[in-house]
Amino acid sequence: MSDRLRTLAEKHAIPYKVDIYPYYGSDGEAFWTAGGDVAIALIGPGVDASHNYERTHTEALLATTRWVLHICWRNKRKP
């Protein structure tokens, strides 16, 4: 899943950075805990700080939006 997302970003010249959050929980992780068996990857704009005063750049929001749109367009074209 991560490789596919990176390839899609590179194909459309969408800037991205890979990061790992070892102490972060997500809905995907909860799904796995409940017995789910699907690939999961998280995407979003980079932020400075969390749960108090989050800061990001407009360019990061635009890049994330472009990425999500390309994911949706890609999946819409599949039968």
Side-chain angles (χ1 to χ4, degrees):
M1 172 71 75
S2 295
D3 288 340
R4 286 187 290 178
L5 289 171
R6 282 192 292 269
T7 299
L8 186 63
E10 291 165 1
K11 177 181 177 184
H12 297 285
I14 299 170
Y16 70 93
K17 297 219 185 278
V18 176
D19 205 347
I20 296 175
Y21 299 92
Y23 304 108
Y24 177 80
S26 70
D27 292 339
E29 181 183 16
F31 183 69
W32 282 343
T33 302
D37 184 22
V38 297
I40 296 170
L42 305 175
I43 66 168
V47 297
D48 179 26
S50 183
H51 301 298
N52 182 18
Y53 184 76
E54 297 179 358
R55 298 173 293 279
T56 192
H57 293 280
T58 304
E59 292 83 10
L61 295 171
L62 292 171
T64 301
T65 301
R66 288 181 52 220
W67 209 358
V68 169
L69 289 173
H70 280 290
I71 292 166
C72 292
W73 291 329
R74 180 176 178 259
N75 289 335
K76 184 177 180 181
R77 286 184 287 206
K78 289 186 175 182

